[in-house]
Amino acid sequence: PTTPSPHSTRGLGTKMSNRVVCREASHAGSWYSASGSQLNAQLEGWLSQAQSTIRPARAIIAPHAGYTYCGACAAHAYKQVDPSITRRVFILGPSHHVPLSRCALSPADVYRTPLYDLRIDQKVYADLWKTGLFERMSLQTDEDEHSIEMHLPYTAKAMESHKDEFSIVPVLVGALSESKEQEYGKLLSKYLADPSNLFIISSDFCHWGQRFRYTYYDESQGEIYRSIEHLDRMGMGIIEQLDPMSFTNYLKKYRNTICGRHPIGVLLNAVAELRKSGLEMNFSFLNYAQSSQCRNWQDSSVSYAAGALIVH
């Protein structure tokens, strides 16, 4: 299929042409291997080191940095995915490059990965579009953004035994207000209620150092990296309580630079909505890592955490 130029106009909500629009794996070869066989071997290695303790996950939180930094951590979340029941994978990632106050849908039909291509669920996309709550990102914006892309190879790997039986629903999440997080949470809760859907929430944790303009340090914790871990684990503990308000208050108090705070907020609000109707759920973090250990003010690091939501 021919890929139209990035300037071709797409009908919003309806397909104007029958050409298949592909989003290229723009970060392959830099953030992760562009070689399918090499990438497959790496993912297999990381997954083999992780335990599947709480399958099947209905939602996971996993990092979106280069795989050399966070590939091993992310495996702990992906190990909880059950491909035999999953038919749709929602991927919610924060926007790093374009200012966005709402959520946006991709103009593509297909997302490429070095393993195999993933197909966007156009039926769910049409339903979401009808709500009037979404905008459409450009193909350029889509390909520049890494927060969703970094989950595609892992999704393809986790789902490989049923690779022709599932579709994906990528959603770029903007800098939402608390009321918007609630609104999107409510909207997506009906999809989260369905056991054949999996939600992937893309987020790194603390970005610490002068280059991130964030240097919170609680000396009572010892070395800087220990203070960072303490701060992150406090936030992780609050996420595990599944209370959106507590998470918002934590972020207001400490300003922890959790880049996926809005996707996490949407998930927590979706969970809160389902709990009203009596669904029981719990969330557990399974792994935590830092890109390096900060010991002085010149250092910097990014933290990663992997966890899973189980519906009882």
Side-chain angles (χ1 to χ4, degrees), residues 71-274:
C73 175
H76 293 268
Y78 279 94
K79 190 79 170 198
Q80 317 312 322
V81 172
D82 185 347
S84 68
I85 58 172
T86 305
R87 291 298 162 262
R88 236 180 258 108
V89 180
F90 287 73
I91 308 170
L92 276 57
S95 175
H96 286 88
H97 306 292
V98 295
L100 188 64
S101 64
R102 303 200 297 165
C103 291
L105 304 176
S106 171
D109 301 287
V110 166
Y111 273 16
R112 295 235 155 105
T113 85
L115 301 176
Y116 58 90
D117 293 350
L118 305 177
R119 180 174 52 81
I120 290 184
D121 193 312
Q122 294 299 338
K123 164 133 181 31
V124 172
Y125 251 25
D127 290 345
L128 294 178
W129 186 254
K130 272 193 243 129
T131 64
L133 294 173
F134 292 83
E135 44 200 89
R136 196 68 71 156
M137 54 180 137
S138 67
L139 194 59
Q140 185 65 58
T141 295
D142 200 352
E143 289 184 346
D144 287 348
E145 182 55 64
H146 63 274
S147 74
I148 292 173
E149 180 179 343
M150 296 310 294
H151 292 282
L152 303 174
Y154 252 122
T155 298
K157 182 63 186 164
M159 292 298 297
E160 69 183 346
S161 60
H162 291 71
K163 67 168 165 217
D164 302 319
E165 298 162 45
F166 79 101
S167 54
I168 60 168
V169 183
V171 177
L172 190 62
V173 178
L176 308 179
S177 63
E178 284 167 60
S179 62
K180 281 226 171 80
E181 285 183 3
Q182 220 167 353
E183 193 175 13
Y184 285 107
K186 258 191 184 122
L187 170 69
L188 293 172
S189 65
K190 69 166 194 192
Y191 297 103
L192 184 63
D194 181 343
S196 67
N197 292 334
L198 167 73
F199 275 72
I200 295 171
I201 307 299
S202 175
S203 186
D204 296 336
F205 275 70
C206 186
H207 298 61
W208 193 93
Q210 285 159 3
R211 70 191 186 100
F212 298 119
R213 294 190 291 281
Y214 186 77
T215 51
Y216 171 88
Y217 178 33
D218 173 358
E219 291 178 25
S220 73
Q221 295 302 320
E223 297 267 23
I224 294 172
Y225 70 89
R226 293 205 185 275
S227 162
I228 296 169
E229 175 162 357
H230 183 256
L231 177 71
D232 279 330
R233 291 206 181 268
M234 204 188 314
M236 290 155 66
I238 287 168
I239 292 167
E240 288 180 337
Q241 291 165 18
L242 297 174
D243 175 33
M245 212 49 230
S246 303
F247 185 57
T248 300
N249 292 337
Y250 162 83
L251 291 170
K252 281 183 181 152
K253 182 172 178 184
Y254 295 100
R255 304 252 168 250
N256 191 357
T257 41
I258 299 173
C259 54
R261 61 179 95 73
H262 297 297
I264 292 170
V266 170
L267 174 71
L268 293 178
N269 278 285
V271 167
E273 187 63 26
L274 292 183

Side-chain angles (χ1 to χ4, degrees), residues 254-297:
Y254 295 100
R255 304 252 168 250
N256 191 357
T257 41
I258 299 173
C259 54
R261 61 179 95 73
H262 297 297
I264 292 170
V266 170
L267 174 71
L268 293 178
N269 278 285
V271 167
E273 187 63 26
L274 292 183
R275 285 174 120 188
K276 282 183 200 165
S277 62
L279 262 188
E280 280 191 54
M281 298 176 234
N282 66 297
F283 192 95
S284 326
F285 278 100
L286 304 160
N287 190 257
Y288 175 79
Q290 294 175 347
S291 59
S292 60
Q293 292 190 334
C294 294
R295 290 187 161 82
N296 63 57
W297 297 106

Side-chain angles (χ1 to χ4, degrees), residues 15-78:
K15 290 288 296 286
M16 292 295 280
S17 72
N18 48 18
R19 285 189 298 181
V20 174
V21 180
C22 293
R23 181 204 183 278
E24 296 303 324
S26 49
H27 293 72
S30 51
W31 291 53
Y32 57 94
S33 173
S35 147
S37 57
Q38 193 181 7
L39 181 60
N40 186 56
Q42 283 171 339
L43 295 173
E44 251 165 33
W46 289 318
L47 286 164
S48 71
Q49 297 296 301
Q51 263 74 50
S52 58
T53 44
I54 53 176
R55 284 164 73 107
R58 186 72 54 89
I60 60 173
I61 294 176
H64 55 235
Y67 282 1
T68 50
Y69 296 104
C70 76
C73 175
H76 293 268
Y78 279 94

